[in-house]
């Protein structure tokens, strides 16, 4: 990853990360996909999923999706 970043910056690093890592380590995608992924974590026994947006501007979207009403 260091070499990929040195050669291509953030874009190079993004290209070097295998999609399977993104899928396996995150709940990413559309809002609906994220909600479904977190539901699968809960079904698997996760009682306190830790959620954080990938970027600051996404914070309100995460809160809107998961905050109790």
């Amino acid at each position: 990853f260091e070499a990929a970043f040195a050669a291509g910056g953030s874009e190079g690093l993004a290209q070097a990360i295998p999609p399977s890592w993104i899928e396996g380590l995150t709940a990413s995608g559309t809002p609906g996909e994220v909600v479904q992924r977190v539901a699968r974590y809960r079904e698997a026994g996760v009682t306190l999923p830790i959620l954080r947006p990938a970027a600051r501007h996404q914070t309100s979207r995460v809160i809107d999706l998961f905050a109790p009403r």
Side-chain angles (χ1 to χ4, degrees), residues 4-31:
F5 183 76
S10 296
E11 183 64 31
L13 181 58
Q15 295 298 320
I17 298 173
S20 61
W21 284 26
I22 304 296
E23 178 66 25
L25 297 172
T26 70
S28 57
T30 66

Side-chain angles (χ1 to χ4, degrees), residues 23-46:
E23 178 66 25
L25 297 172
T26 70
S28 57
T30 66
E33 291 168 338
V34 171
V35 169
Q36 288 176 349
R37 183 65 182 263
V38 171
R40 289 198 313 259
Y41 288 140
R42 291 177 147 284
E43 291 165 5
V46 174

